[in-house]
Amino acid sequence: MAANGAIIEAFKDEKRVHIIDFDINQGCQYITLIQSIAKLPGKPPHLRLTGIDDPESVQHLNGGLEIIGLRLEKLAEVLGVSFEFHAVASRTSLVTPSMLDCRSGEALVVNFAFQLHHMPDESVSTINQRDQLLRMVMSLDPKLVTVVEQDVNTNTSPFFPRFIEAYSYYSAVFESLDATLPRESQDRMNVERQCLARDIVNIVACEGEEIIERYEVAGK
């Protein structure tokens, strides 16, 4: 949702906008975005959203993209926003321009929310998947590319500096949880077990290609 402000700015003076989201997750970001578009002065632009999801993900196997699309379409209809949803079932590294159905006359916005850090770069392999993806995206000539990531280096650091970085970063995360949710909260336990614990184990206990959570600082 942090990118929505910039996306709304990109809507100015546009009649048709196409957003490509490389990790749409549950689509919550676009509930807020559609609500914001409905409040814009004048006639809202036509919004076309392409959501990408790994065909092997649990969400996809449970019909996730179709369910997300239907939910967003119903919301847009209620709020009077012209809306289309396009589902792409593909691994991010295998996405090609032909899958994205970019059309002339549309302002293109590409959204990377907590996605790029999962893409291996030159520190892992001579095949730099992250660079290939970004080059492909730039070839589409987007009006805006939004990137949301954690500002911490867990990609190229050796073990001890990586451990210190992770300790400092996740200490702040847990302090935030302490301020908002009691420790016996089921929601908090779900977040800690299913998200934070998995990420921390991967960052601290794995090396080389086994590291999936490859966060980097903003300057990198």
Side-chain angles (χ1 to χ4, degrees), residues 160-220:
F160 188 67
R162 190 171 74 242
F163 174 84
I164 296 299
E165 287 259 6
Y167 179 82
S168 176
Y169 177 81
Y170 284 101
S171 291
V173 173
F174 280 105
E175 287 174 4
S176 298
L177 287 175
D178 281 336
T180 55
L181 291 171
R183 296 195 176 188
E184 62 273 13
S185 164
Q186 187 61 50
D187 288 339
R188 172 171 175 165
M189 287 189 281
N190 288 339
V191 169
E192 290 176 342
R193 291 171 182 170
Q194 298 176 21
C195 300
L196 300 180
R198 180 186 59 194
D199 290 358
I200 293 169
V201 168
N202 182 257
I203 290 168
V204 174
C206 297
E207 295 287 351
E209 295 183 3
E210 294 180 348
I211 299 178
I212 298 173
E213 306 301 329
R214 300 179 172 279
Y215 306 130
E216 293 182 334
V217 294
K220 179 70 165 56

Side-chain angles (χ1 to χ4, degrees), residues 7 11 15-21 24 30 33-34 37 45-51 72-73 76 81-88 97-110:
I7 293 174
F11 274 58
K15 294 182 179 179
R16 304 182 69 85
V17 178
H18 180 197
I19 300 176
I20 300 172
D21 193 308
I24 194 167
Y30 298 101
L33 183 65
I34 291 171
I37 293 171
H46 175 79
L47 171 61
R48 190 159 65 93
L49 173 61
T50 295
L72 294 176
E73 286 170 356
V81 175
S82 179
F83 178 78
E84 295 177 60
F85 183 77
H86 175 217
V88 175
S98 62
M99 296 178 181
L100 303 175
D101 189 25
C102 295
R103 304 171 188 172
S104 61
E106 292 180 329
L108 179 62
V109 175
V110 179

Side-chain angles (χ1 to χ4, degrees), residues 53-85:
D53 190 30
D54 189 326
E56 297 181 3
S57 71
V58 173
Q59 176 172 279
H60 179 77
L61 295 175
N62 291 329
L65 281 178
E66 288 73 18
I67 293 171
I68 290 167
L70 288 172
R71 183 169 68 237
L72 294 176
E73 286 170 356
K74 289 180 180 178
L75 174 65
E77 183 179 3
V78 169
L79 296 178
V81 175
S82 179
F83 178 78
E84 295 177 60
F85 183 77

Side-chain angles (χ1 to χ4, degrees), residues 103-169:
R103 304 171 188 172
S104 61
E106 292 180 329
L108 179 62
V109 175
V110 179
N111 187 41
F112 290 110
F114 305 108
Q115 173 63 28
L116 289 178
H117 72 271
H118 286 144
M119 301 293 294
D121 63 5
E122 72 279 358
S123 67
V124 180
S125 170
T126 54
I127 302 174
N128 189 333
Q129 294 184 16
R130 186 187 302 175
D131 188 59
Q132 289 179 344
L133 174 63
L134 291 173
R135 288 179 183 275
M136 186 274 288
V137 166
M138 296 313 294
S139 74
L140 302 175
D141 193 25
K143 181 176 183 179
L144 175 70
V145 177
T146 55
V147 178
V148 181
E149 288 288 354
Q150 291 92 333
D151 189 13
V152 58
N153 183 16
T154 65
N155 187 21
T156 57
S157 299
F159 171 75
F160 188 67
R162 190 171 74 242
F163 174 84
I164 296 299
E165 287 259 6
Y167 179 82
S168 176
Y169 177 81

